[in-house]
């Protein structure tokens, strides 16, 4: 039976990327002066898994590169080599290299060969002792628990018969052993006592066991690491090899030949076929070994790999994640909701068969139950798309470490609220704006070590990422304890670039908003980090596209905080339906502060074209949607207007409407994709009666009003 291995490629890539994330996070936590053994073991296991998976699916370039990484890690974890900071940097570079190689393979492209080759040479130089590092002999003096290095090892390997069914193959383990010691220093003696007749042989079971000899100066932990994934599925012993065994390689090989000659004829035929299939894939291993590896499966795997490569060349795939991991609790909740929905549907179906007016009350109860079930099912489905924001935060420890070294700044990254959940779509789009903000805080916000000490601060600066829920939104804060925004310099640069008039006098809050203008930068020198005037305007634009807002709070000499507010999801909205003339509009419920009856006596006219209303010691501007969208003649007025007070971009606005309708959840449809972008409108939805209602963009309404010509601005609000 042939197996198409290409069906497992996507799972391999996803697990490999997760493994690389684990390696990176553990390496960033690693302190060379006090190495934690479990941390090194975790990094080693992640690398070993990637290597094994890559070898299984035929991605040999990844497997071979990971092998040298794994070898150095193994020497460190066994105590024969001391971890130094240069190794950490090299391991992090290898993580980047592997991530790039896997991304290319996932999209059907040929990986770059120069970078892996260059890094591989560095690893090999370290392993040969040619690069400056702590020598293994020095490490041994300090590590009393290191495994002894013998002249060779005698291994007894007795796997359980279901070994092959778990995805493990002895051939690959033997090939890995031979790579460790060299082709001439490896011998395997197969035991065929339990091999049944051909008629009783199952190709999915392993009937062989082996006595293995490896010769050379290799530590026991490196040998046992080869078998660590099958340790629970076999009997395995490893003893030092005697001098007489180490000098009898030729006689051992002769013994293998004699055993092969004594084997049944049909077994020899099968072994020859298996050997033919695997000869080009690895070291020379006795043919009896390959009897445990079915030739059909190997051939199918090679064919599948070739077919996948050819198909990928024709139609490259995106390397964007195409799956999401969901906890079993969420799946169970979804299944329960579906069960309740089926019961309700069955009840309504029975009512509909012989319906009469006496069953009206039961029908109403059934419809109410259907509405409740549908809402709960919707909430359960939406929860499946929710992911902890730690997925977005995970990139920043590495970014801060590398950028801190580049800028010569000591930086401590603090991450809070990592379990706060956010819609997967929003998560994917917020990553780049957060990167801009963190880089900006490190470059412009935090001072150099000398300046911090001179200002009476700690030499190490702090950058804090915090996420929490607030109402129907998620709030993400990026804070630093640096110098804060220099209002004088910002205003001077803005005037110099003609972004504001020369005689402009702005409040500190207004000056802070200038950093979001296109082309604005206070950097005196253009570098690869900042200074080109792009970044902050892109941040605000991207956040606005997510129906979110960003504001900045800064105190001179103490630091700055950027506050991002985003909707939890882009698909569903809790809305308040309002009537304006004969049109229905929807206000996001989270933006509504209150609704009141509008009184003429509370209105004040300013600049002849705008009205404001005093509401509890606060003046708020008044906006008329019917005037903005051209729904009424200029001389016509409301009879009994309602005022909906909303908050957008940290400012309150009063919007005049005819009437308040009900509240309901609506599914957001993009107006820009189906029609065009309209100022003051964030999207549309279809109501229960089939009509289309537009969703008001609260922050966009104020901006749209500011852009209106004076003669078209609302001159009266009631």
């Amino acid at each position: 039976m042939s197996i198409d291995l290409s069906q497992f490629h996507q799972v391999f890539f996803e697990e490999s990327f997760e493994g690389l994330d684990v390696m990176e996070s553990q390496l960033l936590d690693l302190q060379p002066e006090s190495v934690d053994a479990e941390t090194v073991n975790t990094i080693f296991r992640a690398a070993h898994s990637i290597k094994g998976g890559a070898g299984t699916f035929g991605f040999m370039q990844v497997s071979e590169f990971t092998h040298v990484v794994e070898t150095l890690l193994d020497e460190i974890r066994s105590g024969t080599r001391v971890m130094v900071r240069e190794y950490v940097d090299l391991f992090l570079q290898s993580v980047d290299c592997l991530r790039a190689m896997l991304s290319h393979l996932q999209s059907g492209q040929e990986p770059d060969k120069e970078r892996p080759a260059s890094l591989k040479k560095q690893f090999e130089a370290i392993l040969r002792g040619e690069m400056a590092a702590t020598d293994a002999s020095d490490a041994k003096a300090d590590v009393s628990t290191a495994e002894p290095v013998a002249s060779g090892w005698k291994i007894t390997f007795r796997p359980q018969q279901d070994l092959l069914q778990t995805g493990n193959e002895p051939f690959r383990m033997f090939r890995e052993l031979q790579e460790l010691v060299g082709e001439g220093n490896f011998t395997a003696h197969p035991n065929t006592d339990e091999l049944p007749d051909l008629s009783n042989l199952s190709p999915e079971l392993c009937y062989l066991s082996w006595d293995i000899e490896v010769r050379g100066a290799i530590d026991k932990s490196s040998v046992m690491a080869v078998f660590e994934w099958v340790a629970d599925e076999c009997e395995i012993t490893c003893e030092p090899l005697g001098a007489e065994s180490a000098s009898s390689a030729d006689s051992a090989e002769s013994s293998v030949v004699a055993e092969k000659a004594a084997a049944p004829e049909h077994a020899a035929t099968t072994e020859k076929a298996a050997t033919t299939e695997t000869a080009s894939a690895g070291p020379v291993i006795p043919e009896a070994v390959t009897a445990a590896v079915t030739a059909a499966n190997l051939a199918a795997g090679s064919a599948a790999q070739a077919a996948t490569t050819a198909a990928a060349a024709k139609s490259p795939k995106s390397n964007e994640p195409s799956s999401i991991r969901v906890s079993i609790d969420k799946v169970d909740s979804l299944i329960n909701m579906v069960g309740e929905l089926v019961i309700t549907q069955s009840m309504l179906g029975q009512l509909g068969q012989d319906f009469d007016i006496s069953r009206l009350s039961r029908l109403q109860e059934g419809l109410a139950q259907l509405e409740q079930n549908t809402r709960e099912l919707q909430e359960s489905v939406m929860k499946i798309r929710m992911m902890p924001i730690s997925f977005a935060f995970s990139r920043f420890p590495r970014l801060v470490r590398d950028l801190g070294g580049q800028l010569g700044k000591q930086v401590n990254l603090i991450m809070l609220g990592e379990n706060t959940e956010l819609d997967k779509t929003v998560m994917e789009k917020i990553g780049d704006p957060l990167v801009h903000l963190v880089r900006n805080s490190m470059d412009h916000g935090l001072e150099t070590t000398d300046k911090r000490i001179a200002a009476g601060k700690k030499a190490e600066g702090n950058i804090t990422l915090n996420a929490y829920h607030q109402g129907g939104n998620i709030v993400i804060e990026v804070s630093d304890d640096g110098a804060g925004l220099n209002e004088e310099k910002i205003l001077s640069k803005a005037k110099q670039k003609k972004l504001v008039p020369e005689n402009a006098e702005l409040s500190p809050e207004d000056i802070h908003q200038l950093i979001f203008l296109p082309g604005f930068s206070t950097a005196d020198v253009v570098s690869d980090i900042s200074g080109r005037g792009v970044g902050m305007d892109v941040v605000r634009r991207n956040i606005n596209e997510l129906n979110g807002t960003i504001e900045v709070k800064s105190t001179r000499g103490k630091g700055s905080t950027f506050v991002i507010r985003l909707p939890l999801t882009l698909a569903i909205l809790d809305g308040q339906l309002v009537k304006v003339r004969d049109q229905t509009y929807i206000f996001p419920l989270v933006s509504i502060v209150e609704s009141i009856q509008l009184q003429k006596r509370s209105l004040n006219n300013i600049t002849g074209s705008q009205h404001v209303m005093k509401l509890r010691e606060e003046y708020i501007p008044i906006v008329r949607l019917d005037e903005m969208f051209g729904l009424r003649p200029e001389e016509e007025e409301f009879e009994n207007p309602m005022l909906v007070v909303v908050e957008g971009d940290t400012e309150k606005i009063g919007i005049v409407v005819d009437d308040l309708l009900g509240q309901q959840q609506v599914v957001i449809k993009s107006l820009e994709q189906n029609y065009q972008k309209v100022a003051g409108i964030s999207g549309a939805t279809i109501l229960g009666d089939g009509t289309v209602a537009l969703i008001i963009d609260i922050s966009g309404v104020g901006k749209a009003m500011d852009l209106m010509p004076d003669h078209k601005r609302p001159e009266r609000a009631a």
Side-chain angles (χ1 to χ4, degrees):
M1 180 182 67
S2 62
I3 300 176
D4 181 11
L5 295 181
S6 63
Q7 62 183 308
F8 305 115
H9 283 179
Q10 185 59 32
V11 175
F12 161 71
F13 288 125
E14 291 178 3
E15 292 183 350
S16 296
F17 286 128
E18 289 178 5
L20 291 174
D21 291 339
V22 169
M23 290 179 66
E24 185 174 77
S25 63
Q26 294 294 319
L27 285 166
L28 292 172
D29 293 338
L30 196 62
Q31 300 297 327
E33 57 275 6
S34 57
V35 176
D36 178 58
E38 184 55 35
T39 300
V40 178
N41 284 331
T42 301
I43 299 170
F44 176 85
R45 285 193 293 268
H48 190 72
S49 297
I50 295 172
K51 171 190 170 182
T56 299
F57 295 111
F59 302 131
M60 300 312 298
Q61 186 176 347
V62 174
S63 178
E64 291 169 1
F65 177 74
T66 314
H67 176 71
V68 296
V69 178
E70 179 191 58
T71 303
L72 182 56
L73 283 168
D74 187 55
E75 290 189 1
I76 293 170
R77 74 171 191 153
S78 66
T80 58
R81 189 179 295 272
V82 173
M83 174 69 82
V84 294
R85 186 162 298 279
E86 288 75 13
Y87 293 169
V88 176
D89 294 336
L90 190 58
F91 284 134
L92 286 171
Q93 292 180 48
S94 69
V95 168
D96 294 339
C97 181
L98 283 169
R99 188 175 282 123
M101 293 168 69
L102 290 169
S103 297
H104 279 88
L105 289 169
Q106 187 181 23
S107 60
Q109 302 174 4
E110 187 68 23
D112 176 39
K113 295 182 179 180
E114 293 183 4
R115 188 181 182 193
S118 175
L119 289 173
K120 189 176 180 181
K121 288 180 180 178
Q122 295 183 51
F123 277 105
E124 291 172 344
I126 291 174
L127 294 172
R128 291 193 301 267
E130 297 175 3
M131 289 186 66
T134 305
D135 189 66
S137 60
D138 298 331
K140 291 179 192 176
D142 299 327
V143 184
S144 59
T145 58
E147 292 283 356
V149 179
S151 60
W153 300 93
K154 182 177 181 179
I155 306 162
T156 302
F157 180 44
R158 303 279 186 270
Q160 296 178 5
Q161 287 192 354
D162 62 352
L163 178 74
L164 301 178
Q165 296 175 340
T166 62
N168 294 292
E169 294 187 0
F171 174 78
R172 291 193 173 87
M173 302 177 204
F174 299 160
R175 182 171 59 188
E176 188 170 347
L177 277 175
Q178 184 163 319
E179 289 175 352
L180 288 175
V181 297
E183 182 175 332
N185 296 317
F186 172 86
T187 307
H189 307 272
N191 184 350
T192 60
D193 293 344
E194 297 183 11
L195 191 66
D197 294 336
L198 185 61
S199 58
N200 298 323
L201 188 145
S202 171
E204 297 181 354
L205 298 180
C206 177
Y207 300 100
L208 303 180
S209 59
W210 292 267
D211 294 321
I212 305 166
E213 293 181 2
V214 291
R215 293 169 292 279
I218 180 173
D219 56 277
K220 183 178 179 179
S221 60
S222 297
V223 174
M224 296 304 294
V226 174
F227 299 96
E228 67 175 330
W229 297 113
V230 296
D232 297 332
E233 302 169 3
C234 67
E235 297 178 10
I236 183 168
T237 61
C238 183
E239 300 175 353
L241 190 63
E244 68 282 0
S245 298
S247 62
S248 60
D250 294 337
S251 61
E253 293 181 56
S254 300
S255 174
V256 173
V257 174
E259 288 189 36
K260 287 196 297 178
E265 183 178 351
H266 62 268
T269 304
T270 304
E271 292 163 5
K272 184 176 180 180
T275 305
T276 302
E277 295 292 341
T278 59
S280 60
V284 179
I285 297 176
E287 292 177 315
V289 173
T290 59
V293 187
T294 58
N297 284 355
L298 284 179
S302 300
Q305 175 63 25
T308 304
T309 304
K314 294 180 181 179
S315 55
K317 298 181 293 183
S318 170
N319 58 3
E320 288 292 326
S322 60
S323 63
I324 183 173
R325 293 200 173 189
V326 181
S327 69
I328 193 66
D329 292 339
K330 292 183 179 180
V331 176
D332 288 342
S333 175
L334 184 61
I335 293 174
N336 291 336
M337 289 300 101
V338 171
E340 294 291 333
L341 195 62
V342 170
I343 294 172
T344 304
Q345 184 269 335
S346 177
M347 180 184 68
L348 291 174
Q350 291 181 357
L351 284 173
Q353 290 177 359
D354 299 309
F355 182 77
D356 56 50
I357 195 65
S358 63
R359 296 190 173 189
L360 180 60
S361 61
R362 291 189 60 192
L363 176 62
Q364 291 174 331
E365 292 175 2
L367 290 174
Q369 184 66 35
L370 178 64
E371 180 181 359
Q372 179 181 349
N373 290 342
T374 304
R375 187 179 183 91
E376 291 178 354
L377 180 62
Q378 171 191 305
E379 292 175 353
S380 296
V381 172
M382 294 306 300
K383 286 179 180 178
I384 289 179
R385 293 182 57 86
M386 304 297 280
M387 300 172 63
I389 201 169
S390 57
F391 283 91
F393 282 1
S394 61
R395 71 176 71 180
F396 294 110
R398 175 70 185 282
L399 174 67
V400 169
R401 180 186 186 274
D402 293 348
L403 201 55
Q406 184 178 347
L407 295 171
K409 297 179 180 179
Q410 301 178 35
V411 186
N412 177 40
L413 178 65
I414 303 170
M415 295 189 292
L416 306 173
E418 295 174 89
N419 292 324
T420 305
E421 290 192 330
L422 181 63
D423 188 280
K424 180 175 182 287
T425 304
V426 181
M427 181 90 67
E428 292 170 350
K429 295 182 179 180
I430 195 58
D432 288 342
L434 287 177
V435 169
H436 277 293
L437 292 176
V438 171
R439 290 170 65 91
N440 187 73
S441 292
M442 293 197 65
D443 191 24
H444 294 289
L446 295 180
E447 312 96 327
T448 60
T449 303
D450 294 340
K451 290 183 178 179
R452 290 184 64 85
I453 294 175
K457 297 181 179 181
K458 293 182 178 179
E460 186 179 58
N462 291 321
I463 290 181
T464 303
L465 296 175
N466 186 21
Y468 55 90
H469 286 145
Q470 188 179 76
N473 293 336
I474 182 173
V475 180
I476 305 173
E477 297 179 350
V478 181
S479 308
D480 65 71
D481 63 348
L485 296 181
N486 188 330
E487 285 91 358
E488 293 83 2
K489 186 175 183 180
I490 292 174
L491 184 58
S492 174
K493 284 279 187 179
K495 291 179 179 180
Q496 180 182 338
K497 293 178 177 290
K498 308 297 184 182
L499 297 176
V500 296
E502 282 291 338
N503 58 352
E505 295 184 4
L506 304 178
S507 65
E509 292 76 15
D510 292 334
I511 294 175
H512 295 165
Q513 294 301 314
L514 294 176
I515 66 175
F516 295 107
L517 293 177
F520 183 83
S521 174
T522 58
D524 297 319
V525 179
V526 175
S527 68
D528 59 345
I529 299 175
S530 64
R532 300 187 183 277
V534 294
M536 297 306 292
D537 63 316
V538 176
V539 167
R540 184 166 66 173
R541 184 170 68 247
N542 290 349
I543 291 173
N544 288 342
E545 289 175 356
L546 293 172
N547 297 325
T549 62
I550 180 171
E551 60 178 294
V552 57
K553 303 173 183 177
S554 182
T555 302
R556 188 72 177 273
K558 294 185 178 180
S560 304
T561 299
F562 291 86
V563 182
I564 302 173
R565 289 183 174 84
L566 297 168
L568 288 178
T569 176
L570 300 180
I572 303 294
L573 174 74
D574 285 314
Q576 169 70 57
L577 277 65
V578 301
K579 198 77 172 178
V580 179
R581 296 295 166 174
D582 59 345
Q583 300 292 322
T584 301
Y585 295 94
I586 297 174
F587 290 2
L589 203 57
V590 295
S591 301
I592 298 178
V593 178
E594 59 183 312
S595 301
I596 59 176
Q597 193 76 36
L598 185 61
Q599 302 293 332
K600 288 186 178 181
R601 63 177 179 272
S602 60
L603 296 177
N604 292 279
N605 182 274
I606 58 172
T607 68
S609 60
Q610 177 67 59
H611 284 80
V612 297
M613 185 183 78
K614 187 176 183 180
L615 181 64
R616 289 186 291 278
E617 307 303 323
E618 183 180 6
Y619 287 94
I620 61 173
I622 304 299
V623 178
R624 299 195 63 163
L625 289 184
D626 59 350
E627 177 78 19
M628 179 174 291
F629 296 142
L631 299 179
R632 72 175 180 89
E634 291 188 9
E635 67 276 3
E636 191 174 347
E637 299 181 356
F638 281 121
E639 295 181 2
N640 297 299
M642 292 287 298
L643 188 71
V644 181
V645 181
V646 296
E647 187 170 12
D649 286 344
T650 70
E651 260 187 348
K652 289 182 180 178
I653 303 174
I655 301 180
V656 182
V657 300
D658 279 336
D659 195 10
L660 299 178
L661 305 179
Q663 297 178 4
Q664 71 177 63
Q665 280 195 332
V666 296
V667 179
I668 302 173
K669 303 293 183 181
S670 172
L671 191 65
E672 187 173 358
Q673 291 181 1
N674 297 288
Y675 174 57
Q676 66 182 36
K677 187 173 181 61
V678 178
I681 302 296
S682 63
T685 190
I686 301 176
L687 302 177
D689 59 1
T691 59
V692 175
L694 299 178
I695 302 170
I696 299 299
D697 177 10
I698 301 302
S699 61
V701 166
K703 296 173 184 176
M705 184 186 66
D706 292 339
L707 296 174
M708 292 174 61
D710 287 342
H711 69 279
K712 287 195 175 183
R713 290 189 183 185
E715 296 189 3
R716 48 192 177 280

